[in-house]
Amino acid sequence: MNQFVEIPKPGMEYYLPVAIGILVFFVICIVVGMRARKSWTSYEEYVVGHRNIGPVVTGLALSASWLSGWAYLGSMGVTYTAGWSGMYLASMWSLFGIIPCLLLTAQKLRKYSVKLGYTTIPEALGKRFGSRTVQIVAAVVILYYYLGYSIGQLKAGATCWYAVAGLSPVWCILFSVVITWLYLAYGGYTGNQWVMALQGILVGVGAMLLGVVALYYVGGPAGLNEKLVAQSSNLVQLIRPDLPAVGPTQAFSSWVGVFGTLVLFVMMASGFPHTTSRFLGAREITKKDMTILIIMVWCIAGFPIFFDSITGLSARAVFGPALLKINPWKADLAGPFISMVAGGSFVSTLYIIGLFAAALSTLAALVFVMVTAVTVDIVKAVKPSVNDRTLLTLGRILTGVFVLIPFIFTLINPPELLAVLMSQVGVAIGSTFFFSLIMSLYWRRATAAGVLACMIYGLLASGIFGILVTKKTIGIGTVYLLVAAGSGIVYFLGSLISKPPKAEILKIIFDKD
Amino acid sequence: MEGINPWYAWWAIVIASAALTLVGMALAYRRWDN
C-alpha cells in the first residue's frame, strides 16, 4: 500500500474560493493604493511622499518588499527537495539581515535624506560622495540587476495559480500587473507603501497559518521527523555530504555552503535598495518607532518565515518524492499542494493570496526603484531643468514597461531554477549596496572611487562566478562568499588608495546639527 | 552531524535571531541621537 497521500487535483472546490479571494485582494489593493493619488503635489513627493509614514506601515512594507515569491514557494521547495539541510537557503537567516538593516540603516538613511534632500538610493550615494557619476552609475547598476531580478517574481504566482485552479495563469497574472501598474502610477510612493503594508499582513498570516496547519497535519515535530526518516535518513541530516560539493547543492552539502547562505541573507536583507527605500518616506525614527519596526518585522518576516522550512518538510513527509517528477514545477508545488490537503480550500485560499501579496509587493518595490532610477537618477541628473510633468509621464510609461517585462518572461520562458536565478543576482545587489550605502553611512574615509570599484566588481564577479556555478566548477556558497568578501575588499582598498573625500562634504553629513 | 535532532538546530537559529535582535537593540539604543 502506498504510504503517501495522493496529490490533490485542482478543481472548483479550490478554484472558486481562490478566484474570489484574489479578486477581493486586487480590489483592496487598488482602493488602498489609489487613496494616495492626490496626496502629492510635486514629483519629489510622488517619489518619496511627505516623509511622515509611521513605523507600523514602514515595518510591514519593509517585510513585504523583502519577502518575495521565493519566501512562499522556492523556500518550501528547497526543504521539500533536500530535507532539513535545505532550511539555511529557505530564508531561515532572514532576520540576520533585516535586523542589522533596521538598526544600522533606518534612522541614518532617513535623517540624511532630509538633511541632504535625496529621494532615491542612487541619489543618496550621489549626495554622499558629491558625485553625479556615482549617482548615474548606481542607477544603471540597479536597472541591470533589477531587470533580471524582476523576471522571476511572477513565476511563483503563475505556478501556484495553475496548481490550485488548474487553469492557465495568463489572465490572473495579467490582471495582477495591471493592478500593480495602476496603484504605482497613480499612488506613487505613498500608495505603494500602504499597499505593501496590507500585503505584508497577508504574507505573514498566510505563511504562519500554513506552517502550523501543515505541521499539525503530519503529527507535530516528532511525527514530521518520523515520516522523513521512513523515506531516507538523509532528509533529517543538518548537512548532506552525499550531495555534490560544487554547483547549487553546496548550499546543503557543506558547512562552507551553509556559511555562504548566511552571508547571502545578511547582504541581501540589509543591502537591497528596494527594501532600504522603505525608510526614505518614514517619519523621524525614535527608539519607540524602532521597537515597533522590529516587532512588525518579527511578526511578518520572523515567525511566519521560520515556518517556511517546516511547510516544505511537511509536504515531503506527506507526498514523498512524487512532486519532483511533475514537470516543469517540481518542488515548487510543495507549498500549494500541502495547503490543499492539510488546510482545504480556506487555507489554500489564504496561502495563494499571501503568495500573490509577497510576489507583487516585491515586484512593485523593484519597479518603483527602477522607474525612479531612470527619472530621478538619470534623466533629472543629466538634465536638471526637466519639469515634473514630463518626469511623471515618463515614470508612468516606464512603470508599464517594467511590469510587463516579467509578465512576458513568465509566459514565454519561465525560469525553472528560480532559486539559482534569484540568489545569483541577489548576492551581487546585496553586497554592492551593503558596502556602498550602509558602510558609507558610518565610514568617513569611503570615496567615490571605492564605491565605483565595488559596483564594477559586483557586476563582473556575479556574472563570472555565476557561470562557474552553472558549470559546477565551484559551489554556490563559495560564490556568495567570494562576491561579498570581494565587494568589501574592493570597496575598502579602492577608498583607501584614492584621494580622501572633501572635508566640506563630510562636515555636512557627519557633523551634528 | 548525524544523530542530532534537526529541530534543535531550527530552534538554535530562532533563538540566535532573537539574541541578535536584543543585543543589537541594546547597542543601538545606547548611541541613539535623538
Side-chain angles (χ1 to χ4, degrees):
Chain A
M1 197 182 103
N2 193 341
Q3 59 179 317
F4 301 122
V5 173
E6 202 177 321
I7 292 167
K9 300 263 186 302
M12 283 301 274
E13 179 195 353
Y14 300 106
Y15 170 66
L16 208 60
V18 164
I20 294 169
I22 287 284
L23 201 64
V24 172
F25 166 69
F26 284 156
V27 170
I28 294 173
C29 286
I30 206 80
V31 169
V32 171
M34 293 299 254
R35 274 193 65 201
R37 74 186 184 283
K38 286 177 183 163
S39 67
W40 42 271
T41 54
S42 66
Y43 194 66
E44 184 181 332
E45 285 181 6
Y46 175 82
V47 169
V48 80
H50 297 275
R51 293 192 173 94
N52 62 353
I53 297 175
V56 173
V57 170
T58 303
L60 292 172
L62 175 79
S63 306
S65 64
W66 159 242
L67 297 169
S68 62
W70 170 250
Y72 253 69
L73 214 67
S75 286
M76 296 164 190
V78 167
T79 51
Y80 173 85
T81 306
W84 276 98
S85 60
M87 72 173 162
Y88 314 107
L89 194 57
S91 309
M92 276 299 281
W93 302 121
S94 270
L95 292 178
F96 280 77
I98 290 207
I99 296 297
C101 172
L102 282 169
L103 294 170
L104 292 172
T105 316
Q107 192 202 22
K108 282 190 186 291
L109 197 65
R110 193 270 171 202
K111 189 171 87 175
Y112 295 152
S113 82
V114 177
K115 204 170 173 181
L116 301 176
Y118 55 71
T119 56
T120 66
I121 298 299
E123 197 178 17
L125 286 169
K127 298 247 167 137
R128 163 68 179 83
F129 295 102
S131 163
R132 210 166 49 171
T133 307
V134 168
Q135 180 181 357
I136 294 170
V137 172
V140 172
V141 165
I142 282 179
L143 278 172
Y144 166 77
Y145 283 136
Y146 277 9
L147 275 171
Y149 197 61
S150 66
I151 284 173
Q153 296 301 325
L154 291 172
K155 194 213 168 198
T159 303
C160 200
W161 177 265
Y162 188 85
V164 177
L167 298 171
S168 162
V170 175
W171 288 106
C172 180
I173 299 296
L174 181 62
F175 203 44
S176 62
V177 297
V178 172
I179 299 283
T180 306
W181 176 77
L182 270 173
Y183 70 72
L184 276 179
Y186 290 89
Y189 180 93
T190 306
N192 190 25
Q193 196 85 337
W194 287 349
V195 175
M196 280 200 287
L198 170 89
Q199 290 169 333
I201 296 170
L202 295 169
V203 172
V205 169
M208 189 75 201
L209 183 68
L210 177 57
V212 172
V213 166
L215 185 60
Y216 179 76
Y217 186 77
V218 296
L224 174 66
N225 278 358
E226 278 168 23
K227 288 186 171 71
L228 292 173
V229 169
Q231 290 179 47
S232 165
S233 60
N234 283 330
L235 295 174
V236 293
Q237 301 305 320
L238 289 176
I239 56 165
R240 293 276 304 268
D242 58 304
L243 296 172
V246 289
T249 50
Q250 193 204 21
F252 331 120
S253 65
S254 81
W255 288 112
V256 172
V258 172
F259 182 63
T261 61
L262 170 62
V263 171
L264 167 75
F265 277 88
V266 171
M267 291 294 136
M268 288 198 304
S270 52
F272 274 166
H274 68 282
T275 54
T276 49
S277 296
R278 301 304 112 217
F279 304 131
L280 296 174
R283 72 183 188 204
E284 191 179 353
I285 298 167
T286 61
K287 282 184 193 174
K288 188 181 166 193
D289 283 357
M290 179 52 71
T291 307
I292 296 170
L293 275 169
I294 287 172
I295 291 169
M296 290 299 123
V297 162
W298 264 87
C299 288
I300 307 300
F303 296 115
I305 302 310
F306 289 135
F307 271 89
D308 270 3
S309 313
I310 309 304
T311 303
L313 290 166
S314 301
R316 181 61 185 252
V318 169
F319 301 118
L323 306 187
L324 296 172
K325 294 175 193 147
I326 305 176
N327 286 319
W329 302 285
K330 298 181 180 177
D332 280 347
L333 295 168
F337 281 169
I338 190 74
S339 79
M340 290 159 82
V341 300
S345 58
F346 177 71
V347 173
S348 60
T349 300
L350 272 182
Y351 168 75
I352 197 168
I353 292 173
L355 182 137
F356 270 85
L360 294 183
S361 55
T362 303
L363 180 67
L366 294 173
V367 167
F368 203 74
V369 166
M370 284 193 278
V371 168
T372 56
V374 177
T375 54
V376 176
D377 302 311
I378 297 176
V379 174
K380 200 171 181 196
V382 172
K383 194 183 174 196
S385 62
V386 65
N387 66 43
D388 280 7
R389 197 170 179 78
T390 307
L391 289 174
L392 187 61
T393 307
L394 177 64
R396 283 175 173 161
I397 294 168
L398 287 172
T399 305
V401 173
F402 291 143
V403 294
L404 272 179
I405 290 172
F407 169 72
I408 291 165
F409 276 97
T410 305
L411 296 183
I412 61 167
N413 184 24
E416 203 171 308
L417 292 171
L418 192 65
V420 175
L421 181 119
M422 291 178 70
S423 54
Q424 295 299 331
V425 184
V427 70
I429 309 169
S431 304
T432 297
F433 289 93
F434 176 83
F435 291 106
S436 301
L437 181 72
I438 300 179
M439 284 298 120
S440 302
L441 291 172
Y442 292 86
W443 193 40
R444 288 167 177 252
R445 186 63 180 78
T447 67
V451 165
L452 290 170
C454 177
M455 288 177 186
I456 292 164
Y457 175 82
L459 290 172
L460 294 174
S462 60
I464 294 166
F465 293 139
I467 293 165
L468 293 178
V469 169
T470 311
K471 291 188 172 179
K472 299 195 175 169
T473 308
I474 53 174
I476 201 166
T478 308
V479 170
Y480 300 150
L481 296 173
L482 288 173
V483 174
S487 299
I489 291 168
V490 168
Y491 164 80
F492 286 113
L493 278 182
S495 295
L496 289 173
I497 60 173
S498 55
K499 212 171 115 186
K502 289 176 184 163
E504 57 263 34
I505 292 178
L506 294 179
K507 191 173 163 51
I508 295 169
I509 298 167
F510 289 103
D511 286 4
K512 287 200 181 286
D513 301 321
Chain B
M1 300 303 289
E2 273 188 41
I4 293 180
N5 185 340
W7 276 105
Y8 294 155
W10 187 86
W11 275 109
I13 296 178
V14 174
I15 292 165
S17 301
L20 174 79
T21 305
L22 294 173
V23 172
M25 285 168 80
L27 290 172
Y29 286 8
R30 280 172 58 190
R31 301 179 55 161
W32 210 257
D33 59 358
N34 66 13

Short mmCIF file of all heavy atoms in Angstrom, two decimals, chain A residues 84 92 96 103 107 111 221 225 236-238 255 284-285 287 290-291 294 298 306 310 512, chain B residues 1-2 4-7 9-10 13-14 16-18 20-21 24-25 28-29 32-34:
data_model
loop_
_atom_site.label_atom_id
_atom_site.label_comp_id
_atom_site.label_asym_id
_atom_site.label_seq_id
_atom_site.Cartn_x
_atom_site.Cartn_y
_atom_site.Cartn_z
N TRP A 84 15.95 18.68 5.87
CA TRP A 84 16.29 19.72 6.85
C TRP A 84 17.49 20.57 6.41
O TRP A 84 17.59 21.74 6.74
CB TRP A 84 16.59 19.10 8.21
CG TRP A 84 15.37 18.84 9.04
CD1 TRP A 84 14.71 17.65 9.18
CD2 TRP A 84 14.65 19.79 9.84
NE1 TRP A 84 13.63 17.79 10.02
CE2 TRP A 84 13.58 19.09 10.45
CE3 TRP A 84 14.81 21.14 10.12
CZ2 TRP A 84 12.67 19.70 11.31
CZ3 TRP A 84 13.91 21.75 10.99
CH2 TRP A 84 12.85 21.04 11.57
N MET A 92 15.84 30.93 6.46
CA MET A 92 15.96 30.89 7.93
C MET A 92 16.85 32.02 8.47
O MET A 92 16.75 32.40 9.63
CB MET A 92 16.55 29.53 8.37
CG MET A 92 15.53 28.43 8.51
SD MET A 92 14.23 28.72 9.72
CE MET A 92 15.05 28.34 11.27
N PHE A 96 18.81 37.74 10.34
CA PHE A 96 20.23 38.10 10.47
C PHE A 96 20.59 39.24 9.51
O PHE A 96 21.60 39.89 9.68
CB PHE A 96 21.13 36.88 10.20
CG PHE A 96 21.23 35.95 11.36
CD1 PHE A 96 20.20 35.08 11.67
CD2 PHE A 96 22.36 35.97 12.17
CE1 PHE A 96 20.29 34.23 12.76
CE2 PHE A 96 22.46 35.13 13.27
CZ PHE A 96 21.42 34.25 13.56
N LEU A 103 18.62 48.44 12.27
CA LEU A 103 19.38 49.15 13.31
C LEU A 103 20.49 50.03 12.73
O LEU A 103 20.81 51.08 13.28
CB LEU A 103 19.95 48.15 14.32
CG LEU A 103 18.88 47.43 15.16
CD1 LEU A 103 19.50 46.28 15.95
CD2 LEU A 103 18.20 48.40 16.11
N GLN A 107 17.45 54.80 10.66
CA GLN A 107 17.45 56.16 11.20
C GLN A 107 18.37 57.09 10.41
O GLN A 107 17.99 58.21 10.07
CB GLN A 107 17.89 56.11 12.66
CG GLN A 107 17.64 57.42 13.37
CD GLN A 107 18.50 57.60 14.60
OE1 GLN A 107 19.56 56.98 14.73
NE2 GLN A 107 18.06 58.45 15.50
N LYS A 111 17.35 60.26 8.13
CA LYS A 111 17.81 61.58 8.61
C LYS A 111 18.58 62.32 7.51
O LYS A 111 18.33 63.49 7.24
CB LYS A 111 18.71 61.38 9.84
CG LYS A 111 19.06 62.68 10.54
CD LYS A 111 19.75 62.42 11.85
CE LYS A 111 21.25 62.29 11.65
NZ LYS A 111 21.99 62.16 12.90
N PRO A 221 6.09 17.93 15.62
CA PRO A 221 7.54 17.85 15.37
C PRO A 221 8.07 16.42 15.29
O PRO A 221 8.84 16.09 14.38
CB PRO A 221 8.14 18.59 16.57
CG PRO A 221 7.06 19.54 16.99
CD PRO A 221 5.77 18.87 16.73
N ASN A 225 9.55 14.24 11.79
CA ASN A 225 10.84 13.56 11.65
C ASN A 225 10.69 12.06 11.38
O ASN A 225 11.43 11.48 10.59
CB ASN A 225 11.70 13.79 12.90
CG ASN A 225 12.41 15.14 12.87
OD1 ASN A 225 12.27 15.86 11.88
ND2 ASN A 225 13.13 15.46 13.91
N VAL A 236 16.84 14.05 7.39
CA VAL A 236 16.90 14.67 8.71
C VAL A 236 18.34 15.04 9.10
O VAL A 236 18.63 15.32 10.26
CB VAL A 236 16.27 13.78 9.81
CG1 VAL A 236 14.77 13.66 9.60
CG2 VAL A 236 16.93 12.41 9.86
N GLN A 237 19.23 15.06 8.12
CA GLN A 237 20.62 15.49 8.39
C GLN A 237 20.71 17.01 8.30
O GLN A 237 20.01 17.64 7.50
CB GLN A 237 21.59 14.88 7.36
CG GLN A 237 21.61 13.37 7.33
CD GLN A 237 21.91 12.76 8.69
OE1 GLN A 237 22.75 13.26 9.44
NE2 GLN A 237 21.20 11.71 9.02
N LEU A 238 21.61 17.59 9.11
CA LEU A 238 21.79 19.05 9.08
C LEU A 238 22.61 19.50 7.88
O LEU A 238 22.52 20.66 7.46
CB LEU A 238 22.42 19.54 10.37
CG LEU A 238 21.49 19.46 11.58
CD1 LEU A 238 22.23 19.87 12.85
CD2 LEU A 238 20.26 20.33 11.39
N TRP A 255 29.57 22.83 5.16
CA TRP A 255 29.43 23.97 6.08
C TRP A 255 29.87 25.27 5.41
O TRP A 255 29.41 26.35 5.78
CB TRP A 255 30.19 23.73 7.38
CG TRP A 255 29.52 22.70 8.22
CD1 TRP A 255 29.97 21.45 8.51
CD2 TRP A 255 28.22 22.79 8.83
NE1 TRP A 255 29.04 20.76 9.27
CE2 TRP A 255 27.97 21.56 9.49
CE3 TRP A 255 27.24 23.78 8.89
CZ2 TRP A 255 26.78 21.32 10.19
CZ3 TRP A 255 26.06 23.54 9.59
CH2 TRP A 255 25.84 22.31 10.23
N GLU A 284 10.63 60.74 11.24
CA GLU A 284 11.86 60.63 12.03
C GLU A 284 11.73 59.44 12.98
O GLU A 284 10.73 59.30 13.68
CB GLU A 284 12.07 61.92 12.82
CG GLU A 284 13.44 61.98 13.46
CD GLU A 284 13.67 63.27 14.22
OE1 GLU A 284 12.83 64.17 14.15
OE2 GLU A 284 14.72 63.35 14.88
N ILE A 285 12.77 58.59 12.99
CA ILE A 285 12.63 57.32 13.71
C ILE A 285 13.21 57.43 15.12
O ILE A 285 14.42 57.57 15.32
CB ILE A 285 13.32 56.19 12.90
CG1 ILE A 285 12.61 56.05 11.55
CG2 ILE A 285 13.28 54.87 13.66
CD1 ILE A 285 13.35 55.20 10.54
N LYS A 287 13.44 55.84 19.24
CA LYS A 287 13.66 54.49 19.78
C LYS A 287 12.34 53.70 19.80
O LYS A 287 12.31 52.52 19.50
CB LYS A 287 14.20 54.59 21.21
CG LYS A 287 15.66 54.93 21.31
CD LYS A 287 16.05 54.88 22.78
CE LYS A 287 17.41 55.51 22.99
NZ LYS A 287 17.77 55.60 24.39
N MET A 290 11.54 52.50 16.42
CA MET A 290 12.40 51.38 16.04
C MET A 290 11.90 50.08 16.68
O MET A 290 11.89 49.03 16.04
CB MET A 290 13.86 51.67 16.46
CG MET A 290 14.84 50.56 16.15
SD MET A 290 14.81 49.97 14.44
CE MET A 290 15.54 51.37 13.59
N THR A 291 11.47 50.18 17.94
CA THR A 291 10.96 48.98 18.61
C THR A 291 9.72 48.46 17.87
O THR A 291 9.58 47.25 17.65
CB THR A 291 10.60 49.31 20.08
OG1 THR A 291 11.74 49.92 20.69
CG2 THR A 291 10.21 48.07 20.86
N ILE A 294 10.75 46.77 14.66
CA ILE A 294 11.31 45.42 14.91
C ILE A 294 10.20 44.42 15.19
O ILE A 294 10.22 43.28 14.70
CB ILE A 294 12.35 45.48 16.06
CG1 ILE A 294 13.62 46.17 15.54
CG2 ILE A 294 12.67 44.09 16.60
CD1 ILE A 294 14.66 46.46 16.58
N TRP A 298 9.41 41.06 13.00
CA TRP A 298 9.34 39.72 13.59
C TRP A 298 8.00 39.03 13.27
O TRP A 298 7.94 37.83 13.03
CB TRP A 298 9.54 39.78 15.12
CG TRP A 298 10.95 39.51 15.50
CD1 TRP A 298 11.97 40.40 15.58
CD2 TRP A 298 11.51 38.23 15.84
NE1 TRP A 298 13.13 39.76 15.94
CE2 TRP A 298 12.88 38.44 16.12
CE3 TRP A 298 11.01 36.94 15.95
CZ2 TRP A 298 13.74 37.39 16.48
CZ3 TRP A 298 11.86 35.89 16.31
CH2 TRP A 298 13.21 36.13 16.57
N PHE A 306 10.12 31.45 9.59
CA PHE A 306 10.75 30.28 10.22
C PHE A 306 9.96 29.01 9.88
O PHE A 306 10.50 27.91 9.85
CB PHE A 306 10.81 30.43 11.74
CG PHE A 306 11.81 31.47 12.20
CD1 PHE A 306 11.47 32.40 13.17
CD2 PHE A 306 13.08 31.51 11.67
CE1 PHE A 306 12.39 33.35 13.60
CE2 PHE A 306 14.01 32.46 12.10
CZ PHE A 306 13.65 33.38 13.06
N ILE A 310 9.46 24.29 7.59
CA ILE A 310 8.62 23.23 8.14
C ILE A 310 7.53 22.85 7.14
O ILE A 310 7.20 21.67 6.98
CB ILE A 310 7.96 23.70 9.47
CG1 ILE A 310 9.02 24.27 10.42
CG2 ILE A 310 7.18 22.58 10.12
CD1 ILE A 310 10.15 23.34 10.73
N LYS A 512 27.15 67.01 13.77
CA LYS A 512 25.82 67.19 14.36
C LYS A 512 25.30 68.57 14.02
O LYS A 512 26.06 69.51 13.84
CB LYS A 512 25.90 67.00 15.88
CG LYS A 512 26.09 65.55 16.28
CD LYS A 512 25.68 65.34 17.71
CE LYS A 512 25.89 63.89 18.14
NZ LYS A 512 24.94 62.97 17.59
N MET B 1 27.47 15.28 11.84
CA MET B 1 26.28 15.85 12.47
C MET B 1 25.16 14.82 12.56
O MET B 1 24.02 15.16 12.83
CB MET B 1 25.81 17.07 11.67
CG MET B 1 26.82 18.18 11.55
SD MET B 1 27.38 18.78 13.15
CE MET B 1 25.91 19.62 13.72
N GLU B 2 25.50 13.57 12.30
CA GLU B 2 24.45 12.56 12.34
C GLU B 2 23.93 12.38 13.76
O GLU B 2 24.67 12.48 14.72
CB GLU B 2 24.98 11.22 11.82
CG GLU B 2 24.84 11.12 10.31
CD GLU B 2 25.17 9.75 9.77
OE1 GLU B 2 24.76 8.78 10.41
OE2 GLU B 2 25.82 9.68 8.72
N ILE B 4 21.91 14.28 15.48
CA ILE B 4 21.38 15.48 16.13
C ILE B 4 19.97 15.75 15.59
O ILE B 4 19.76 15.75 14.38
CB ILE B 4 22.29 16.70 15.87
CG1 ILE B 4 23.63 16.51 16.55
CG2 ILE B 4 21.62 17.99 16.36
CD1 ILE B 4 24.60 17.64 16.35
N ASN B 5 19.05 15.93 16.52
CA ASN B 5 17.68 16.24 16.10
C ASN B 5 17.67 17.61 15.41
O ASN B 5 18.04 18.62 16.00
CB ASN B 5 16.77 16.27 17.34
CG ASN B 5 15.31 16.45 16.98
OD1 ASN B 5 14.99 16.91 15.87
ND2 ASN B 5 14.44 16.08 17.90
N PRO B 6 17.26 17.67 14.13
CA PRO B 6 17.32 18.95 13.41
C PRO B 6 16.44 20.04 14.02
O PRO B 6 16.66 21.22 13.77
CB PRO B 6 16.87 18.59 12.00
CG PRO B 6 16.24 17.26 12.09
CD PRO B 6 16.80 16.57 13.27
N TRP B 7 15.45 19.63 14.80
CA TRP B 7 14.63 20.65 15.47
C TRP B 7 15.49 21.53 16.38
O TRP B 7 15.20 22.72 16.57
CB TRP B 7 13.51 20.00 16.30
CG TRP B 7 12.30 19.68 15.46
CD1 TRP B 7 11.91 18.45 15.03
CD2 TRP B 7 11.34 20.60 14.95
NE1 TRP B 7 10.76 18.55 14.28
CE2 TRP B 7 10.38 19.87 14.21
CE3 TRP B 7 11.18 21.99 15.03
CZ2 TRP B 7 9.30 20.47 13.58
CZ3 TRP B 7 10.10 22.58 14.40
CH2 TRP B 7 9.18 21.83 13.68
N ALA B 9 18.54 22.48 15.85
CA ALA B 9 19.21 23.48 15.01
C ALA B 9 18.22 24.57 14.61
O ALA B 9 18.56 25.76 14.58
CB ALA B 9 19.79 22.80 13.76
N TRP B 10 17.00 24.15 14.32
CA TRP B 10 15.95 25.12 13.94
C TRP B 10 15.71 26.10 15.10
O TRP B 10 15.72 27.32 14.91
CB TRP B 10 14.67 24.34 13.62
CG TRP B 10 13.54 25.16 13.07
CD1 TRP B 10 13.32 25.49 11.76
CD2 TRP B 10 12.45 25.75 13.79
NE1 TRP B 10 12.17 26.23 11.63
CE2 TRP B 10 11.61 26.41 12.86
CE3 TRP B 10 12.09 25.79 15.14
CZ2 TRP B 10 10.45 27.09 13.23
CZ3 TRP B 10 10.93 26.47 15.51
CH2 TRP B 10 10.13 27.10 14.55
N ILE B 13 18.58 28.58 15.57
CA ILE B 13 18.56 29.75 14.66
C ILE B 13 17.50 30.76 15.12
O ILE B 13 17.73 31.97 15.10
CB ILE B 13 18.32 29.32 13.20
CG1 ILE B 13 19.49 28.45 12.71
CG2 ILE B 13 18.16 30.53 12.29
CD1 ILE B 13 19.34 27.91 11.29
N VAL B 14 16.35 30.25 15.57
CA VAL B 14 15.29 31.16 16.06
C VAL B 14 15.81 31.94 17.28
O VAL B 14 15.68 33.17 17.36
CB VAL B 14 14.02 30.36 16.43
CG1 VAL B 14 12.98 31.28 17.07
CG2 VAL B 14 13.44 29.69 15.20
N ALA B 16 18.94 32.43 18.21
CA ALA B 16 20.05 33.32 17.82
C ALA B 16 19.52 34.59 17.17
O ALA B 16 20.05 35.69 17.39
CB ALA B 16 20.99 32.59 16.86
N SER B 17 18.44 34.46 16.39
CA SER B 17 17.82 35.66 15.78
C SER B 17 17.29 36.59 16.86
O SER B 17 17.42 37.81 16.77
CB SER B 17 16.67 35.25 14.85
OG SER B 17 17.12 34.39 13.84
N ALA B 18 16.67 35.99 17.89
CA ALA B 18 16.13 36.79 18.99
C ALA B 18 17.27 37.47 19.75
O ALA B 18 17.20 38.66 20.11
CB ALA B 18 15.31 35.92 19.93
N LEU B 20 20.26 38.21 18.61
CA LEU B 20 20.82 39.27 17.76
C LEU B 20 19.95 40.53 17.84
O LEU B 20 20.46 41.65 17.94
CB LEU B 20 20.89 38.78 16.30
CG LEU B 20 21.32 39.82 15.28
CD1 LEU B 20 22.81 40.01 15.30
CD2 LEU B 20 20.86 39.43 13.87
N THR B 21 18.65 40.33 17.84
CA THR B 21 17.73 41.46 17.91
C THR B 21 17.92 42.23 19.22
O THR B 21 18.07 43.46 19.22
CB THR B 21 16.26 40.96 17.83
OG1 THR B 21 16.13 40.17 16.65
CG2 THR B 21 15.29 42.12 17.78
N GLY B 24 21.45 43.78 19.50
CA GLY B 24 21.51 44.89 18.53
C GLY B 24 20.76 46.11 19.03
O GLY B 24 21.24 47.24 18.95
N MET B 25 19.57 45.88 19.59
CA MET B 25 18.77 46.99 20.12
C MET B 25 19.51 47.67 21.28
O MET B 25 19.58 48.90 21.36
CB MET B 25 17.40 46.50 20.59
CG MET B 25 16.43 46.19 19.47
SD MET B 25 14.99 45.29 20.03
CE MET B 25 14.02 46.62 20.72
N ALA B 28 22.42 49.67 19.83
CA ALA B 28 21.99 50.82 19.01
C ALA B 28 21.32 51.89 19.87
O ALA B 28 21.54 53.09 19.64
CB ALA B 28 21.03 50.34 17.93
N TYR B 29 20.55 51.48 20.86
CA TYR B 29 19.81 52.46 21.66
C TYR B 29 20.73 53.28 22.57
O TYR B 29 20.39 54.39 22.95
CB TYR B 29 18.72 51.76 22.49
CG TYR B 29 17.52 51.31 21.68
CD1 TYR B 29 17.52 51.38 20.28
CD2 TYR B 29 16.38 50.82 22.29
CE1 TYR B 29 16.44 50.96 19.54
CE2 TYR B 29 15.28 50.40 21.54
CZ TYR B 29 15.32 50.47 20.17
OH TYR B 29 14.24 50.05 19.42
N TRP B 32 21.74 56.23 20.34
CA TRP B 32 20.67 56.85 19.56
C TRP B 32 20.78 58.37 19.66
O TRP B 32 20.92 58.91 20.75
CB TRP B 32 19.31 56.40 20.10
CG TRP B 32 18.25 56.34 19.05
CD1 TRP B 32 17.28 57.25 18.85
CD2 TRP B 32 18.06 55.33 18.07
NE1 TRP B 32 16.48 56.87 17.81
CE2 TRP B 32 16.94 55.69 17.31
CE3 TRP B 32 18.74 54.16 17.75
CZ2 TRP B 32 16.48 54.93 16.26
CZ3 TRP B 32 18.28 53.39 16.72
CH2 TRP B 32 17.16 53.77 15.99
N ASP B 33 20.71 59.07 18.52
CA ASP B 33 20.97 60.51 18.60
C ASP B 33 19.73 61.36 18.36
O ASP B 33 19.75 62.31 17.59
CB ASP B 33 22.12 60.92 17.67
CG ASP B 33 21.84 60.57 16.22
OD1 ASP B 33 20.78 59.98 15.97
OD2 ASP B 33 22.68 60.88 15.35
N ASN B 34 18.64 60.98 18.98
CA ASN B 34 17.52 61.93 19.04
C ASN B 34 16.68 61.68 20.28
O ASN B 34 16.93 60.76 21.02
CB ASN B 34 16.64 61.88 17.78
CG ASN B 34 15.92 60.57 17.63
OD1 ASN B 34 15.85 59.75 18.54
ND2 ASN B 34 15.36 60.34 16.45
#
